[in-house]
């Protein structure tokens, strides 16, 4: 009798386990699938940022490059040491960009160093086997694009200085657009107009 009770108890427990597994199994499978999809989406966004930075690393004033740079701290946010290192390098790069005390060739060298530090760690984290030399040298950028970008930057800076009153346009009169006779006639007209306005002269109107 006791054996029968135990057997029935074990049977009921095993039944409950089967029922629980049947119910929970699909739920866990769905959750696992969602977790995998979220992880895949995060990686795709990170790879997209890395590709944008790689494609525009020789044109850092382009909107695509600026957008990718601004997305780094959001998409590479995380608790792992590697992610924190990438974001730290991003902060360092922005600090160099904002440093107005750097001048001349030092500006380019420091900005390039900070940018490559971030880009190299990013590529390693994403599984790309690039070294720093490849990241820096293996890039195509036509000379014409560089000239246009430099000219646009010069124009932008010039207009900004002009609007701020820091720059004045040089002007020199080469010649007058009319001769001496035209100048005399203009002066005579000016005097007549002044006399008419002051009432010293009347305008003659003939009837039709």
């Amino acid at each position: 009798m006791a054996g029968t009770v135990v057997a029935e108890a074990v049977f009921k427990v095993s039944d409950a386990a089967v029922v629980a597994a049947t119910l929970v199994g699909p739920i866990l499978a769905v959750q696992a699938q969602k977790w995998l999809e979220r992880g895949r989406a995060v990686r795709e966004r990170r790879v997209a940022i890395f590709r944008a930075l790689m494609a525009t690393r020789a044109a850092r004033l382009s909107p695509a490059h600026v957008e990718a740079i601004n997305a780094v701290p959001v998409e590479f946010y995380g608790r792992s040491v590697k992610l924190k290192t990438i974001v730290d390098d991003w902060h360092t790069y922005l600090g160099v960009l904002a440093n107005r005390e750097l001048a001349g060739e030092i500006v380019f060298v420091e900005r390039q160093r900070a940018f490559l530090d971030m880009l190299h760690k990013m590529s390693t984290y994403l599984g790309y086997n690039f070294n720093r030399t490849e990241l820096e040298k293996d890039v195509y950028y036509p000379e014409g694009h560089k000239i246009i970008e430099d000219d646009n930057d010069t124009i932008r800076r010039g207009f900004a200085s002009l609007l701020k009153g820091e720059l004045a346009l040089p002007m020199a009169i080469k010649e007058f657009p009319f001769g001496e006779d035209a100048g005399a006639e203009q002066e005579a007209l000016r005097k007549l107009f002044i006399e008419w306005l002051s009432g010293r002269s009347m305008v003659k109107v003939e009837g039709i």
Side-chain angles (χ1 to χ4, degrees):
M1 185 68 178
T4 302
V5 174
V6 172
E8 290 179 355
V10 173
F11 179 75
K12 290 180 179 179
V13 170
S14 63
D15 283 350
V18 171
V19 172
T22 302
L23 295 175
V24 176
I27 297 175
L28 293 178
V30 171
Q31 293 299 321
Q33 182 64 26
K34 289 183 178 180
W35 182 80
L36 290 174
E37 289 176 355
R38 284 197 297 268
R40 190 180 299 113
V42 170
R43 174 175 171 79
E44 288 176 353
R45 292 196 300 269
R46 289 170 177 171
V47 170
I49 290 173
F50 176 71
R51 286 179 176 174
L53 293 178
M54 285 288 290
T56 60
R57 64 190 189 276
R60 299 182 193 177
L61 295 179
S62 66
H65 185 86
V66 175
E67 182 179 353
I69 285 292
N70 287 330
V72 169
V74 176
E75 298 300 342
F76 285 86
Y77 175 83
R79 297 181 179 180
S80 71
V81 175
K82 291 182 179 180
L83 287 175
K84 289 181 178 180
T85 303
I86 292 173
V87 176
D88 286 344
D89 284 347
W90 176 83
H91 283 290
T92 300
Y93 180 52
L94 258 63
V96 174
L97 292 177
N99 190 346
R100 303 303 181 188
E101 297 180 358
L102 300 176
E105 187 68 19
I106 298 178
V107 176
F108 174 79
V109 173
E110 290 299 316
R111 289 180 179 179
Q112 185 76 342
R113 177 192 58 76
F115 176 73
L116 289 176
D117 283 345
M118 179 188 66
L119 194 64
H120 185 245
K121 288 187 178 67
M122 197 179 293
S123 68
T124 302
Y125 177 81
L126 294 174
Y128 292 98
N129 191 25
F130 294 120
N131 57 48
R132 288 178 64 91
T133 302
E134 290 173 331
L135 294 175
E136 182 176 13
K137 303 296 184 182
D138 295 352
V139 57
Y140 173 66
Y141 189 61
E143 182 65 24
H145 285 187
K146 182 179 185 305
I147 294 174
I148 292 173
E149 188 172 282
D150 291 343
D151 289 346
N152 288 339
D153 186 57
T154 300
I155 294 172
R156 181 186 62 80
R157 292 176 182 272
F159 268 114
S161 298
L162 185 63
L163 293 175
K164 292 177 182 178
E166 301 170 353
L167 181 67
L169 290 177
M171 300 182 66
I173 299 177
K174 300 295 185 180
E175 59 182 13
F176 289 100
F178 45 79
E180 295 181 359
D181 293 341
E185 291 175 357
Q186 184 177 6
E187 178 63 19
L189 288 173
R190 185 185 69 81
K191 290 181 178 179
L192 288 174
F193 187 67
I194 292 175
E195 290 179 357
W196 176 70
L197 290 176
S198 62
R200 296 196 303 269
S201 176
M202 300 294 293
V203 178
K204 184 179 179 182
V205 179
E206 295 182 356
I208 299 177

